[in-house]
Amino acid sequence: TAVIYTNKEEKSNLQNAIVRKRGIFYDVIETNGSVHIEKPKQLESGQLRTQVLISWYDKSDKYVIMAVAYDEDVSTITYLNQELIQLNVNGYRLFLGYGIGEYDEMHMFDKNGNCLEQIKE
């Protein structure tokens, strides 16, 4: 199971961990990187629509992908043909997915299904 979290000291960093249930407890198997998140704002031309972190774990092709969407136009994000789960946490629009596969490009779409570039035009 993949979990995302922030810690008390560094609330502006979004981190991920892989945990495995053991009885009534969970063991942390691996933690992988973090992505700096900013408060949502109105984007201007030339700014990044999302911050993205793709982590591999277990020394294999298993991955976790996290994205924070800053652009309101971003409705859906896919990675390796998988639609990421959208979470709204404390005003942030977070997207999460996990699976097995080699590195690929993430794709963003607006509500009409139009593909969006990472840099806002």
Side-chain angles (χ1 to χ4, degrees), residues 49-54 65-68 74 76-82 84 95 103-109 115-118:
R49 294 181 193 270
T50 60
Q51 288 289 341
V52 181
L53 175 67
I54 304 171
I65 180 171
M66 302 185 304
V68 180
V74 176
T76 305
I77 297 177
T78 63
Y79 185 73
L80 290 172
N81 299 316
Q82 171 192 8
L84 304 185
F95 291 81
Y103 176 79
D104 196 9
E105 294 293 320
M106 173 195 79
H107 300 283
M108 297 175 291
F109 301 92
C115 192
L116 301 170
E117 296 294 326
Q118 174 66 326

PDB file of all heavy atoms in Angstrom, residues 49-54 65-68 74 76-82 84 95 103-109 115-118:
ATOM      1  N   ARG A  49       2.176  23.594 -14.435  1.00  0.00           N
ATOM      2  CA  ARG A  49       0.816  23.242 -14.014  1.00  0.00           C
ATOM      3  C   ARG A  49       0.823  22.316 -12.805  1.00  0.00           C
ATOM      4  O   ARG A  49      -0.106  22.319 -12.009  1.00  0.00           O
ATOM      5  CB  ARG A  49       0.073  22.545 -15.152  1.00  0.00           C
ATOM      6  CG  ARG A  49      -0.195  23.422 -16.352  1.00  0.00           C
ATOM      7  CD  ARG A  49      -0.955  22.619 -17.398  1.00  0.00           C
ATOM      8  NE  ARG A  49      -0.985  23.263 -18.677  1.00  0.00           N
ATOM      9  CZ  ARG A  49      -1.929  24.122 -19.074  1.00  0.00           C
ATOM     10  NH1 ARG A  49      -2.901  24.442 -18.276  1.00  0.00           N
ATOM     11  NH2 ARG A  49      -1.883  24.655 -20.282  1.00  0.00           N
ATOM     12  N   THR A  50       1.862  21.475 -12.679  1.00  0.00           N
ATOM     13  CA  THR A  50       1.923  20.492 -11.597  1.00  0.00           C
ATOM     14  C   THR A  50       3.350  20.337 -11.083  1.00  0.00           C
ATOM     15  O   THR A  50       4.310  20.640 -11.794  1.00  0.00           O
ATOM     16  CB  THR A  50       1.461  19.094 -12.066  1.00  0.00           C
ATOM     17  OG1 THR A  50       2.317  18.665 -13.117  1.00  0.00           O
ATOM     18  CG2 THR A  50       0.023  19.080 -12.510  1.00  0.00           C
ATOM     19  N   GLN A  51       3.460  19.846  -9.859  1.00  0.00           N
ATOM     20  CA  GLN A  51       4.714  19.323  -9.326  1.00  0.00           C
ATOM     21  C   GLN A  51       4.518  17.817  -9.277  1.00  0.00           C
ATOM     22  O   GLN A  51       3.475  17.341  -8.832  1.00  0.00           O
ATOM     23  CB  GLN A  51       4.984  19.855  -7.919  1.00  0.00           C
ATOM     24  CG  GLN A  51       5.362  21.306  -7.884  1.00  0.00           C
ATOM     25  CD  GLN A  51       6.757  21.556  -8.462  1.00  0.00           C
ATOM     26  OE1 GLN A  51       7.584  20.652  -8.572  1.00  0.00           O
ATOM     27  NE2 GLN A  51       7.001  22.785  -8.837  1.00  0.00           N
ATOM     28  N   VAL A  52       5.507  17.057  -9.708  1.00  0.00           N
ATOM     29  CA  VAL A  52       5.356  15.608  -9.845  1.00  0.00           C
ATOM     30  C   VAL A  52       6.538  14.890  -9.205  1.00  0.00           C
ATOM     31  O   VAL A  52       7.680  15.348  -9.303  1.00  0.00           O
ATOM     32  CB  VAL A  52       5.275  15.200 -11.338  1.00  0.00           C
ATOM     33  CG1 VAL A  52       5.106  13.702 -11.483  1.00  0.00           C
ATOM     34  CG2 VAL A  52       4.156  15.943 -12.032  1.00  0.00           C
ATOM     35  N   LEU A  53       6.254  13.753  -8.571  1.00  0.00           N
ATOM     36  CA  LEU A  53       7.299  12.877  -8.055  1.00  0.00           C
ATOM     37  C   LEU A  53       6.940  11.442  -8.424  1.00  0.00           C
ATOM     38  O   LEU A  53       5.841  10.981  -8.121  1.00  0.00           O
ATOM     39  CB  LEU A  53       7.413  12.987  -6.532  1.00  0.00           C
ATOM     40  CG  LEU A  53       8.393  12.012  -5.879  1.00  0.00           C
ATOM     41  CD1 LEU A  53       9.828  12.333  -6.277  1.00  0.00           C
ATOM     42  CD2 LEU A  53       8.253  12.043  -4.367  1.00  0.00           C
ATOM     43  N   ILE A  54       7.860  10.772  -9.109  1.00  0.00           N
ATOM     44  CA  ILE A  54       7.696   9.355  -9.429  1.00  0.00           C
ATOM     45  C   ILE A  54       8.806   8.610  -8.698  1.00  0.00           C
ATOM     46  O   ILE A  54       9.981   8.938  -8.851  1.00  0.00           O
ATOM     47  CB  ILE A  54       7.787   9.085 -10.945  1.00  0.00           C
ATOM     48  CG1 ILE A  54       6.767   9.932 -11.692  1.00  0.00           C
ATOM     49  CG2 ILE A  54       7.581   7.601 -11.225  1.00  0.00           C
ATOM     50  CD1 ILE A  54       6.912   9.900 -13.201  1.00  0.00           C
ATOM     51  N   ILE A  65       3.434   7.328  -7.983  1.00  0.00           N
ATOM     52  CA  ILE A  65       3.475   8.656  -8.583  1.00  0.00           C
ATOM     53  C   ILE A  65       2.560   9.573  -7.788  1.00  0.00           C
ATOM     54  O   ILE A  65       1.446   9.194  -7.424  1.00  0.00           O
ATOM     55  CB  ILE A  65       3.084   8.643 -10.082  1.00  0.00           C
ATOM     56  CG1 ILE A  65       3.137  10.066 -10.655  1.00  0.00           C
ATOM     57  CG2 ILE A  65       1.752   7.971 -10.303  1.00  0.00           C
ATOM     58  CD1 ILE A  65       2.989  10.135 -12.158  1.00  0.00           C
ATOM     59  N   MET A  66       3.073  10.751  -7.466  1.00  0.00           N
ATOM     60  CA  MET A  66       2.299  11.783  -6.786  1.00  0.00           C
ATOM     61  C   MET A  66       2.396  13.060  -7.610  1.00  0.00           C
ATOM     62  O   MET A  66       3.457  13.364  -8.148  1.00  0.00           O
ATOM     63  CB  MET A  66       2.871  12.088  -5.399  1.00  0.00           C
ATOM     64  CG  MET A  66       2.940  10.919  -4.467  1.00  0.00           C
ATOM     65  SD  MET A  66       3.494  11.417  -2.807  1.00  0.00           S
ATOM     66  CE  MET A  66       5.064  12.209  -3.130  1.00  0.00           C
ATOM     67  N   ALA A  67       1.311  13.795  -7.685  1.00  0.00           N
ATOM     68  CA  ALA A  67       1.319  15.078  -8.378  1.00  0.00           C
ATOM     69  C   ALA A  67       0.435  16.055  -7.621  1.00  0.00           C
ATOM     70  O   ALA A  67      -0.600  15.675  -7.077  1.00  0.00           O
ATOM     71  CB  ALA A  67       0.813  14.920  -9.811  1.00  0.00           C
ATOM     72  N   VAL A  68       0.862  17.306  -7.581  1.00  0.00           N
ATOM     73  CA  VAL A  68       0.063  18.385  -7.026  1.00  0.00           C
ATOM     74  C   VAL A  68      -0.288  19.297  -8.193  1.00  0.00           C
ATOM     75  O   VAL A  68       0.605  19.810  -8.862  1.00  0.00           O
ATOM     76  CB  VAL A  68       0.842  19.187  -5.958  1.00  0.00           C
ATOM     77  CG1 VAL A  68      -0.015  20.303  -5.393  1.00  0.00           C
ATOM     78  CG2 VAL A  68       1.341  18.272  -4.859  1.00  0.00           C
ATOM     79  N   VAL A  74      -6.413  21.525 -14.988  1.00  0.00           N
ATOM     80  CA  VAL A  74      -6.062  20.106 -14.904  1.00  0.00           C
ATOM     81  C   VAL A  74      -7.207  19.364 -14.222  1.00  0.00           C
ATOM     82  O   VAL A  74      -7.494  19.574 -13.053  1.00  0.00           O
ATOM     83  CB  VAL A  74      -4.747  19.885 -14.134  1.00  0.00           C
ATOM     84  CG1 VAL A  74      -4.462  18.398 -13.988  1.00  0.00           C
ATOM     85  CG2 VAL A  74      -3.594  20.583 -14.830  1.00  0.00           C
ATOM     86  N   THR A  76      -7.745  15.732 -15.052  1.00  0.00           N
ATOM     87  CA  THR A  76      -7.353  14.329 -14.969  1.00  0.00           C
ATOM     88  C   THR A  76      -5.863  14.214 -15.268  1.00  0.00           C
ATOM     89  O   THR A  76      -5.344  14.929 -16.119  1.00  0.00           O
ATOM     90  CB  THR A  76      -8.125  13.484 -16.011  1.00  0.00           C
ATOM     91  OG1 THR A  76      -9.521  13.689 -15.830  1.00  0.00           O
ATOM     92  CG2 THR A  76      -7.813  12.007 -15.889  1.00  0.00           C
ATOM     93  N   ILE A  77      -5.194  13.299 -14.549  1.00  0.00           N
ATOM     94  CA  ILE A  77      -3.797  12.988 -14.838  1.00  0.00           C
ATOM     95  C   ILE A  77      -3.700  11.482 -15.019  1.00  0.00           C
ATOM     96  O   ILE A  77      -4.283  10.717 -14.246  1.00  0.00           O
ATOM     97  CB  ILE A  77      -2.865  13.449 -13.698  1.00  0.00           C
ATOM     98  CG1 ILE A  77      -2.924  14.976 -13.538  1.00  0.00           C
ATOM     99  CG2 ILE A  77      -1.426  12.992 -13.960  1.00  0.00           C
ATOM    100  CD1 ILE A  77      -2.087  15.522 -12.397  1.00  0.00           C
ATOM    101  N   THR A  78      -2.969  11.074 -16.071  1.00  0.00           N
ATOM    102  CA  THR A  78      -2.752   9.641 -16.294  1.00  0.00           C
ATOM    103  C   THR A  78      -1.256   9.350 -16.319  1.00  0.00           C
ATOM    104  O   THR A  78      -0.439  10.202 -16.680  1.00  0.00           O
ATOM    105  CB  THR A  78      -3.383   9.158 -17.617  1.00  0.00           C
ATOM    106  OG1 THR A  78      -2.756   9.832 -18.715  1.00  0.00           O
ATOM    107  CG2 THR A  78      -4.883   9.403 -17.637  1.00  0.00           C
ATOM    108  N   TYR A  79      -0.924   8.126 -15.943  1.00  0.00           N
ATOM    109  CA  TYR A  79       0.454   7.644 -16.008  1.00  0.00           C
ATOM    110  C   TYR A  79       0.393   6.169 -16.369  1.00  0.00           C
ATOM    111  O   TYR A  79      -0.324   5.400 -15.720  1.00  0.00           O
ATOM    112  CB  TYR A  79       1.164   7.846 -14.665  1.00  0.00           C
ATOM    113  CG  TYR A  79       2.618   7.477 -14.714  1.00  0.00           C
ATOM    114  CD1 TYR A  79       3.531   8.292 -15.385  1.00  0.00           C
ATOM    115  CD2 TYR A  79       3.089   6.322 -14.126  1.00  0.00           C
ATOM    116  CE1 TYR A  79       4.866   7.959 -15.455  1.00  0.00           C
ATOM    117  CE2 TYR A  79       4.428   5.980 -14.183  1.00  0.00           C
ATOM    118  CZ  TYR A  79       5.313   6.800 -14.850  1.00  0.00           C
ATOM    119  OH  TYR A  79       6.647   6.469 -14.930  1.00  0.00           O
ATOM    120  N   LEU A  80       1.110   5.792 -17.399  1.00  0.00           N
ATOM    121  CA  LEU A  80       1.091   4.418 -17.910  1.00  0.00           C
ATOM    122  C   LEU A  80      -0.350   3.944 -18.119  1.00  0.00           C
ATOM    123  O   LEU A  80      -0.743   2.868 -17.681  1.00  0.00           O
ATOM    124  CB  LEU A  80       1.844   3.476 -16.965  1.00  0.00           C
ATOM    125  CG  LEU A  80       3.361   3.670 -16.935  1.00  0.00           C
ATOM    126  CD1 LEU A  80       3.986   2.821 -15.839  1.00  0.00           C
ATOM    127  CD2 LEU A  80       3.978   3.334 -18.275  1.00  0.00           C
ATOM    128  N   ASN A  81      -1.146   4.797 -18.758  1.00  0.00           N
ATOM    129  CA  ASN A  81      -2.550   4.518 -19.092  1.00  0.00           C
ATOM    130  C   ASN A  81      -3.445   4.298 -17.872  1.00  0.00           C
ATOM    131  O   ASN A  81      -4.520   3.737 -17.984  1.00  0.00           O
ATOM    132  CB  ASN A  81      -2.664   3.315 -20.041  1.00  0.00           C
ATOM    133  CG  ASN A  81      -1.953   3.573 -21.346  1.00  0.00           C
ATOM    134  OD1 ASN A  81      -2.078   4.656 -21.917  1.00  0.00           O
ATOM    135  ND2 ASN A  81      -1.197   2.609 -21.814  1.00  0.00           N
ATOM    136  N   GLN A  82      -3.004   4.723 -16.714  1.00  0.00           N
ATOM    137  CA  GLN A  82      -3.783   4.616 -15.484  1.00  0.00           C
ATOM    138  C   GLN A  82      -4.209   6.012 -15.053  1.00  0.00           C
ATOM    139  O   GLN A  82      -3.376   6.911 -14.949  1.00  0.00           O
ATOM    140  CB  GLN A  82      -2.935   3.970 -14.382  1.00  0.00           C
ATOM    141  CG  GLN A  82      -3.557   4.005 -13.015  1.00  0.00           C
ATOM    142  CD  GLN A  82      -2.551   3.628 -11.912  1.00  0.00           C
ATOM    143  OE1 GLN A  82      -1.362   3.488 -12.144  1.00  0.00           O
ATOM    144  NE2 GLN A  82      -3.056   3.486 -10.711  1.00  0.00           N
ATOM    145  N   LEU A  84      -4.941   8.633 -12.420  1.00  0.00           N
ATOM    146  CA  LEU A  84      -4.555   8.789 -11.029  1.00  0.00           C
ATOM    147  C   LEU A  84      -5.756   9.185 -10.177  1.00  0.00           C
ATOM    148  O   LEU A  84      -6.678   9.854 -10.642  1.00  0.00           O
ATOM    149  CB  LEU A  84      -3.456   9.844 -10.898  1.00  0.00           C
ATOM    150  CG  LEU A  84      -2.190   9.598 -11.726  1.00  0.00           C
ATOM    151  CD1 LEU A  84      -1.143  10.653 -11.398  1.00  0.00           C
ATOM    152  CD2 LEU A  84      -1.633   8.210 -11.518  1.00  0.00           C
ATOM    153  N   PHE A  95      -2.890  14.119  -6.717  1.00  0.00           N
ATOM    154  CA  PHE A  95      -3.172  12.962  -7.562  1.00  0.00           C
ATOM    155  C   PHE A  95      -2.187  11.866  -7.166  1.00  0.00           C
ATOM    156  O   PHE A  95      -1.007  12.133  -6.953  1.00  0.00           O
ATOM    157  CB  PHE A  95      -2.999  13.309  -9.037  1.00  0.00           C
ATOM    158  CG  PHE A  95      -4.048  14.259  -9.552  1.00  0.00           C
ATOM    159  CD1 PHE A  95      -3.941  15.620  -9.339  1.00  0.00           C
ATOM    160  CD2 PHE A  95      -5.138  13.772 -10.255  1.00  0.00           C
ATOM    161  CE1 PHE A  95      -4.912  16.497  -9.814  1.00  0.00           C
ATOM    162  CE2 PHE A  95      -6.112  14.639 -10.737  1.00  0.00           C
ATOM    163  CZ  PHE A  95      -5.997  15.998 -10.515  1.00  0.00           C
ATOM    164  N   TYR A 103       9.652   3.838 -16.668  1.00  0.00           N
ATOM    165  CA  TYR A 103       9.383   5.273 -16.714  1.00  0.00           C
ATOM    166  C   TYR A 103       8.627   5.644 -17.984  1.00  0.00           C
ATOM    167  O   TYR A 103       8.900   5.137 -19.066  1.00  0.00           O
ATOM    168  CB  TYR A 103      10.689   6.078 -16.651  1.00  0.00           C
ATOM    169  CG  TYR A 103      10.433   7.552 -16.789  1.00  0.00           C
ATOM    170  CD1 TYR A 103       9.973   8.285 -15.713  1.00  0.00           C
ATOM    171  CD2 TYR A 103      10.611   8.186 -18.001  1.00  0.00           C
ATOM    172  CE1 TYR A 103       9.705   9.630 -15.843  1.00  0.00           C
ATOM    173  CE2 TYR A 103      10.348   9.541 -18.148  1.00  0.00           C
ATOM    174  CZ  TYR A 103       9.892  10.253 -17.059  1.00  0.00           C
ATOM    175  OH  TYR A 103       9.609  11.592 -17.188  1.00  0.00           O
ATOM    176  N   ASP A 104       7.667   6.535 -17.840  1.00  0.00           N
ATOM    177  CA  ASP A 104       6.891   7.038 -18.961  1.00  0.00           C
ATOM    178  C   ASP A 104       6.532   8.493 -18.666  1.00  0.00           C
ATOM    179  O   ASP A 104       6.743   8.971 -17.552  1.00  0.00           O
ATOM    180  CB  ASP A 104       5.624   6.199 -19.148  1.00  0.00           C
ATOM    181  CG  ASP A 104       4.960   6.406 -20.506  1.00  0.00           C
ATOM    182  OD1 ASP A 104       5.566   7.066 -21.372  1.00  0.00           O
ATOM    183  OD2 ASP A 104       3.841   5.927 -20.689  1.00  0.00           O
ATOM    184  N   GLU A 105       5.981   9.168 -19.632  1.00  0.00           N
ATOM    185  CA  GLU A 105       5.524  10.537 -19.441  1.00  0.00           C
ATOM    186  C   GLU A 105       4.147  10.541 -18.789  1.00  0.00           C
ATOM    187  O   GLU A 105       3.303   9.706 -19.100  1.00  0.00           O
ATOM    188  CB  GLU A 105       5.447  11.266 -20.789  1.00  0.00           C
ATOM    189  CG  GLU A 105       6.785  11.480 -21.446  1.00  0.00           C
ATOM    190  CD  GLU A 105       7.678  12.437 -20.675  1.00  0.00           C
ATOM    191  OE1 GLU A 105       7.172  13.458 -20.160  1.00  0.00           O
ATOM    192  OE2 GLU A 105       8.881  12.145 -20.576  1.00  0.00           O
ATOM    193  N   MET A 106       3.939  11.480 -17.915  1.00  0.00           N
ATOM    194  CA  MET A 106       2.632  11.713 -17.325  1.00  0.00           C
ATOM    195  C   MET A 106       1.831  12.572 -18.308  1.00  0.00           C
ATOM    196  O   MET A 106       2.411  13.384 -19.028  1.00  0.00           O
ATOM    197  CB  MET A 106       2.839  12.461 -16.006  1.00  0.00           C
ATOM    198  CG  MET A 106       1.577  12.921 -15.344  1.00  0.00           C
ATOM    199  SD  MET A 106       1.938  14.148 -14.074  1.00  0.00           S
ATOM    200  CE  MET A 106       2.184  15.593 -15.094  1.00  0.00           C
ATOM    201  N   HIS A 107       0.515  12.387 -18.353  1.00  0.00           N
ATOM    202  CA  HIS A 107      -0.328  13.182 -19.242  1.00  0.00           C
ATOM    203  C   HIS A 107      -1.429  13.846 -18.434  1.00  0.00           C
ATOM    204  O   HIS A 107      -2.016  13.222 -17.549  1.00  0.00           O
ATOM    205  CB  HIS A 107      -0.942  12.301 -20.334  1.00  0.00           C
ATOM    206  CG  HIS A 107       0.095  11.639 -21.191  1.00  0.00           C
ATOM    207  ND1 HIS A 107       0.778  12.307 -22.175  1.00  0.00           N
ATOM    208  CD2 HIS A 107       0.580  10.382 -21.182  1.00  0.00           C
ATOM    209  CE1 HIS A 107       1.634  11.476 -22.752  1.00  0.00           C
ATOM    210  NE2 HIS A 107       1.533  10.307 -22.163  1.00  0.00           N
ATOM    211  N   MET A 108      -1.689  15.105 -18.751  1.00  0.00           N
ATOM    212  CA  MET A 108      -2.738  15.876 -18.080  1.00  0.00           C
ATOM    213  C   MET A 108      -3.820  16.228 -19.083  1.00  0.00           C
ATOM    214  O   MET A 108      -3.520  16.504 -20.246  1.00  0.00           O
ATOM    215  CB  MET A 108      -2.163  17.172 -17.510  1.00  0.00           C
ATOM    216  CG  MET A 108      -1.113  16.983 -16.451  1.00  0.00           C
ATOM    217  SD  MET A 108      -0.391  18.548 -15.958  1.00  0.00           S
ATOM    218  CE  MET A 108       0.515  18.985 -17.433  1.00  0.00           C
ATOM    219  N   PHE A 109      -5.068  16.240 -18.609  1.00  0.00           N
ATOM    220  CA  PHE A 109      -6.201  16.554 -19.465  1.00  0.00           C
ATOM    221  C   PHE A 109      -7.124  17.551 -18.767  1.00  0.00           C
ATOM    222  O   PHE A 109      -7.259  17.531 -17.544  1.00  0.00           O
ATOM    223  CB  PHE A 109      -6.990  15.274 -19.787  1.00  0.00           C
ATOM    224  CG  PHE A 109      -6.155  14.240 -20.467  1.00  0.00           C
ATOM    225  CD1 PHE A 109      -5.482  13.272 -19.734  1.00  0.00           C
ATOM    226  CD2 PHE A 109      -6.012  14.234 -21.845  1.00  0.00           C
ATOM    227  CE1 PHE A 109      -4.702  12.314 -20.351  1.00  0.00           C
ATOM    228  CE2 PHE A 109      -5.230  13.281 -22.473  1.00  0.00           C
ATOM    229  CZ  PHE A 109      -4.573  12.319 -21.728  1.00  0.00           C
ATOM    230  N   CYS A 115      -5.584  17.264 -24.114  1.00  0.00           N
ATOM    231  CA  CYS A 115      -4.277  17.069 -23.483  1.00  0.00           C
ATOM    232  C   CYS A 115      -3.639  18.426 -23.218  1.00  0.00           C
ATOM    233  O   CYS A 115      -3.671  19.323 -24.069  1.00  0.00           O
ATOM    234  CB  CYS A 115      -3.379  16.224 -24.384  1.00  0.00           C
ATOM    235  SG  CYS A 115      -1.889  15.651 -23.564  1.00  0.00           S
ATOM    236  N   LEU A 116      -3.054  18.588 -22.024  1.00  0.00           N
ATOM    237  CA  LEU A 116      -2.428  19.835 -21.621  1.00  0.00           C
ATOM    238  C   LEU A 116      -0.914  19.665 -21.542  1.00  0.00           C
ATOM    239  O   LEU A 116      -0.430  18.603 -21.158  1.00  0.00           O
ATOM    240  CB  LEU A 116      -2.939  20.282 -20.255  1.00  0.00           C
ATOM    241  CG  LEU A 116      -4.436  20.526 -20.125  1.00  0.00           C
ATOM    242  CD1 LEU A 116      -4.811  20.719 -18.668  1.00  0.00           C
ATOM    243  CD2 LEU A 116      -4.858  21.716 -20.966  1.00  0.00           C
ATOM    244  N   GLU A 117      -0.176  20.708 -21.878  1.00  0.00           N
ATOM    245  CA  GLU A 117       1.272  20.706 -21.714  1.00  0.00           C
ATOM    246  C   GLU A 117       1.597  21.026 -20.265  1.00  0.00           C
ATOM    247  O   GLU A 117       0.822  21.659 -19.560  1.00  0.00           O
ATOM    248  CB  GLU A 117       1.903  21.761 -22.634  1.00  0.00           C
ATOM    249  CG  GLU A 117       1.708  21.482 -24.112  1.00  0.00           C
ATOM    250  CD  GLU A 117       2.438  20.221 -24.565  1.00  0.00           C
ATOM    251  OE1 GLU A 117       3.531  19.921 -24.039  1.00  0.00           O
ATOM    252  OE2 GLU A 117       1.884  19.511 -25.428  1.00  0.00           O
ATOM    253  N   GLN A 118       2.791  20.611 -19.809  1.00  0.00           N
ATOM    254  CA  GLN A 118       3.189  20.847 -18.420  1.00  0.00           C
ATOM    255  C   GLN A 118       3.345  22.339 -18.106  1.00  0.00           C
ATOM    256  O   GLN A 118       3.046  22.788 -17.011  1.00  0.00           O
ATOM    257  CB  GLN A 118       4.490  20.084 -18.127  1.00  0.00           C
ATOM    258  CG  GLN A 118       5.109  20.342 -16.767  1.00  0.00           C
ATOM    259  CD  GLN A 118       4.285  19.861 -15.582  1.00  0.00           C
ATOM    260  OE1 GLN A 118       3.078  19.877 -15.603  1.00  0.00           O
ATOM    261  NE2 GLN A 118       4.960  19.463 -14.529  1.00  0.00           N
TER     262      GLN A 118
END
